[in-house]
Amino acid sequence: GARCGWLQHEGGHNSLTGNIKIDKAIQSFFIGFGLGSAGAMWNSMHEKHHATPQKITYDMDLDTTPLVAFFDTAIEKNRSRGYSKLWIKLQAWSFLPITSGCFVMLFWLFYLHPRKVLREKRYDQAFWMLSSHVVRPALMAAVSGMGFGKAYLLHWVSLWIAGQYLFGHFSLSHTHTDTVDADENKNWVEYAVHHTVDINPSNPVINWVMGYLNCQVVHHLFPNMPQFRQPEVSKRLVKFCKENGLEYTVVSYFEAWRRTFANLSEVGHHYFTMG
């Protein structure tokens, strides 16, 4: 299921076949059957992120309180919600196994995404989402010989792992970068280059592990470009940024993880001591 996240993402950007209808159909299948979610909901949220990455109140990827705070004014500037100082203090530890693997997956699969498809009567997507809870466990049970109940439990274990794998990797490319105030405006290039980072774009193993989302700067500049072409474009981007006074940030895979968890820890400490 986890690898379905990368394929549905590219389908959502219409960069798989060049045919929008086919790409959206591919996305609906892989995010629905593979992850029990809806392409329509994903696209709605993801397009806001692409329009203004790291912009407070505009980028949905920052509107994550009270479960996690990615910047030190998140509680004050996001929508008003209560929060636990102890929970935020420990967010670096809870982010992957609890927040990403449990809370986000349960909220998405049982509320946010079903609500979207029912409101908009997207019954094709609802069908694939339902099949994730029925067909996938049934196939596991048929192949392994275990009962459907055990297979369904295993299905949820796989979704728990997928949530950590996907949301963890999604966070690496931007959550630790500078935020943009709600009343501040930047151009398309500045948003992409200064508020996202690329991670080992020349490393084919990292490209595979992260489904080319490690080429985040290039992806934000050219969101409809087939993603396998991004590593080559990143080489040209280095020259472009030097010529135009832009700071193009490329970090290693492990440095990206370090920055992400250091940011979570620093923000957590801020709210525990100052909040």
Side-chain angles (χ1 to χ4, degrees):
R3 298 296 301 177
C4 292
W6 306 139
L7 193 55
Q8 73 81 22
H9 171 263
E10 187 153 6
H13 280 285
N14 310 316
S15 55
L16 283 171
T17 68
N19 184 302
I20 294 177
K21 287 186 178 181
I22 294 175
D23 282 358
K24 286 294 192 287
I26 292 172
Q27 179 194 32
S28 294
F29 170 75
F30 280 100
I31 194 173
F33 183 74
L35 293 165
S37 305
M41 189 69 240
W42 168 273
N43 293 336
S44 176
M45 298 170 66
H46 196 56
E47 286 164 4
K48 293 177 182 178
H49 163 67
H50 265 270
T52 50
Q54 293 296 95
K55 185 168 184 175
I56 299 168
T57 74
Y58 288 84
D59 184 355
M60 296 295 290
D61 289 6
L62 293 181
D63 187 18
T64 54
T65 52
L67 293 179
V68 61
F70 287 116
F71 58 104
D72 61 10
T73 56
I75 301 296
E76 298 88 339
K77 293 185 177 181
N78 279 340
R79 286 176 286 180
S80 180
R81 304 179 179 108
Y83 76 101
S84 163
K85 292 175 67 173
L86 180 61
W87 176 264
I88 295 296
K89 178 187 178 182
L90 299 174
Q91 66 177 1
W93 298 94
S94 61
F95 175 60
L96 288 179
I98 303 176
T99 300
S100 299
C102 297
F103 290 159
V104 175
M105 293 301 285
L106 288 168
F107 179 65
W108 275 30
L109 271 63
F110 287 127
Y111 176 72
L112 189 64
H113 288 238
R115 183 185 65 169
K116 178 74 169 180
V117 297
L118 291 176
R119 279 181 172 180
E120 298 184 358
K121 299 180 180 180
R122 295 176 179 262
Y123 300 125
D124 58 325
Q125 296 190 22
F127 170 79
W128 291 122
M129 292 167 65
L130 181 62
S131 73
S132 177
H133 294 281
V134 178
V135 179
R136 284 190 68 200
L139 289 173
M140 290 187 217
V143 171
S144 65
M146 68 176 71
F148 183 85
K150 287 185 177 180
Y152 190 70
L153 177 61
L154 183 61
H155 165 70
W156 269 99
V157 171
S158 74
L159 289 175
W160 176 68
I161 295 170
Q164 297 177 78
Y165 174 72
L166 291 171
F167 292 117
H169 281 102
F170 281 133
S171 70
L172 297 185
S173 299
H174 65 90
T175 59
H176 50 82
T177 65
D178 292 339
T179 55
V180 180
D181 287 334
D183 59 355
E184 184 180 357
N185 295 304
K186 297 197 173 188
N187 64 46
W188 181 265
V189 176
E190 288 175 322
Y191 271 121
V193 177
H194 292 160
H195 298 282
T196 63
V197 302
D198 277 356
I199 304 166
N200 285 106
S202 61
N203 188 320
V205 175
I206 302 303
N207 292 340
W208 182 86
V209 169
M210 294 190 66
Y212 290 104
L213 265 294
N214 55 309
C215 302
Q216 189 77 183
V217 178
V218 178
H219 176 57
H220 272 262
L221 288 171
F222 309 103
N224 300 116
M225 181 177 66
Q227 293 174 14
F228 73 92
R229 299 190 183 279
Q230 292 173 353
E232 181 60 33
V233 175
S234 70
K235 299 175 185 177
R236 304 183 186 186
L237 185 58
V238 172
K239 180 181 178 181
F240 173 85
C241 289
K242 285 182 179 179
E243 292 175 347
N244 291 274
L246 298 167
E247 186 176 348
Y248 174 38
T249 303
V250 178
V251 300
S252 71
Y253 180 71
F254 293 106
E255 174 61 14
W257 279 111
R258 188 199 69 77
R259 292 188 184 192
T260 300
F261 281 102
N263 179 61
L264 288 170
S265 181
E266 289 169 8
V267 174
H269 179 73
H270 163 78
Y271 276 110
F272 186 74
T273 57
M274 305 292 293

